[in-house]
Amino acid sequence: MPKNSTAIYLRCYPEDRWEMMSHRHALESLADRCGLARPILYLDNGTRSTERAPRLEHLLADIAAGWVDTVLIPGTWVFALCPTTARTTADRIRTAGAHLIEMTSPRATLQAA
């Protein structure tokens, strides 16, 4: 994996057999429009927000190692349904050293999460 990569993080419960393809495509398009590297997907499919999220843990480790510097998400709800818990995870990503970009809707202006 190249250093300073872009990542997409998605989590869905219950498991989505299409693996959140519409969200993934929208975030890949966002990366293209922003001139970012082709995103690496970290997907916790079928994982409740209250359960251990192995791909999120892997993402945080990759950020700490310097492999990922930008994370794209459709909204902080991918981290948890509880807004406070979701913000805590978003803060962990920023503290680990990555930029977090949230796409609140396909037509929304980009904003940092």
Side-chain angles (χ1 to χ4, degrees):
M1 173 182 336
K3 284 202 173 250
N4 301 320
S5 290
T6 302
I8 290 172
Y9 179 73
L10 296 171
R11 182 196 56 81
C12 185
Y13 182 83
E15 187 169 325
D16 177 7
R17 71 180 208 175
W18 296 284
E19 298 184 333
M20 301 184 76
M21 194 59 66
S22 62
H23 290 85
R24 180 179 178 177
H25 287 303
L27 291 166
E28 287 171 344
S29 293
L30 175 62
D32 287 342
R33 289 192 311 272
C34 293
L36 297 169
R38 180 99 176 140
I40 300 158
L41 177 64
Y42 295 78
L43 173 64
D44 281 313
N45 198 5
T47 305
R48 293 177 189 262
S49 64
T50 56
E51 297 175 338
R52 180 180 163 271
R55 297 300 291 161
L56 177 59
E57 292 173 10
H58 187 180
L59 172 60
L60 286 163
D62 285 350
I63 293 167
W67 294 112
V68 173
D69 68 357
T70 304
V71 178
L72 305 174
I73 58 172
T76 57
W77 54 265
V78 297
F79 302 131
L81 297 178
C82 169
T84 302
T85 304
R87 277 192 303 276
T88 299
T89 302
D91 290 343
R92 285 180 62 201
I93 288 172
R94 287 189 203 97
T95 301
H99 299 286
L100 184 61
I101 299 173
E102 177 181 357
M103 185 173 74
T104 55
S105 78
R107 298 175 198 269
T109 304
L110 292 180
Q111 59 179 287

